Amino acid sequence: MNIALIIGSLSQKSINRSVANYIVSQFPADVKVTEVRIDDLPLYTQDRDQVDVPEYDRVREQIKNADAVLIVSPEHNRAMPAATKNIIDIASRPYGRNLWQGKKVAIVTASPGAYGGINSGLQIRQSLQSIGTNVLTTAEVFLSKANQALDEQGEVADERTAGFLSKFAQTFIQWAKA
């Protein structure tokens, strides 16, 4: 099984990267995870639909070849980050070549705030569902006060959070394999 991992934060030391790393560490050994690098992607514009953009080609190929996608994203100003929206747009275009159609996708958001990035998560889900994505809705994660679950090295250390994320990882993989 091949999982494409999209981390919606461009920061290498982000809370969401730490959460994503923990979730991935809970996957069975037979699951291959490939991070879809998004920090070098030019902003999507229809003007690029007819030209070769190597960064677009790379991420489109990664999403196309994935059995499922895991998006772990922060929330910026009560909305999905621009980088997350950009990858959604790039893989849904040009018209007629939507790679999200029927693709299994799970969404996780993590935030130091009290709402856990729920606005971002709901916007990501809305965008993906509108383009035909099969979004896991029975096990969404909106992790509030996520920074408190991490130790000084930025790793998930809170036992309750670790258990919750482990259960999510199992549910996601079972659903993705079905």
Side-chain angles (χ1 to χ4, degrees):
M1 161 149 290
N2 294 316
I3 303 295
L5 171 64
I6 297 172
I7 300 173
S9 172
L10 302 183
S11 172
Q12 291 300 308
K13 295 182 179 183
S14 77
I15 293 168
N16 285 271
R17 180 169 294 283
S18 295
V19 169
N21 289 340
Y22 185 81
I23 292 169
V24 167
S25 77
Q26 301 304 297
F27 290 167
D30 65 334
V31 174
K32 179 184 175 203
V33 178
T34 302
E35 183 175 344
V36 178
R37 182 177 169 206
I38 63 172
D39 65 334
D40 64 339
L41 297 175
L43 286 177
Y44 174 75
T45 173
Q46 218 170 353
D47 297 341
R48 293 189 176 112
D49 283 352
Q50 304 309 317
V51 297
D52 184 41
V53 180
E55 297 88 354
Y56 286 8
D57 296 340
R58 181 194 74 233
V59 298
R60 286 173 176 152
E61 192 68 21
Q62 289 174 308
I63 291 170
K64 177 183 171 189
N65 291 332
D67 298 306
V69 178
L70 174 61
I71 298 175
V72 184
S73 182
E75 180 173 283
H76 292 171
N77 298 318
R78 302 257 190 238
M80 95 170 80
T84 303
K85 180 68 166 95
N86 195 39
I87 186 64
I88 291 170
D89 292 344
I90 290 167
S92 70
R93 304 294 294 181
Y95 181 79
R97 291 194 263 163
N98 175 13
L99 298 173
W100 296 111
Q101 180 70 42
K103 186 70 67 178
K104 290 184 173 185
V105 178
I107 301 164
V108 172
T109 61
S111 169
Y115 297 109
I118 192 168
N119 291 316
S120 175
L122 295 175
Q123 285 182 344
I124 295 166
R125 180 188 345 146
Q126 180 183 27
S127 286
L128 290 170
Q129 286 178 327
S130 74
I131 54 176
T133 308
N134 182 2
V135 179
L136 175 62
T137 58
T138 59
E140 295 173 303
V141 174
F142 308 114
L143 191 60
S144 63
K145 300 182 181 175
N147 57 320
Q148 295 176 13
L150 306 179
D151 62 17
E152 293 83 28
Q153 290 76 41
E155 296 182 13
V156 174
D158 178 71
E159 192 174 307
R160 185 172 178 210
T161 302
F164 176 70
L165 294 175
S166 293
K167 183 177 178 186
F168 167 79
Q170 292 170 4
T171 300
F172 170 57
I173 293 301
Q174 288 172 353
W175 174 77
K177 286 183 175 182

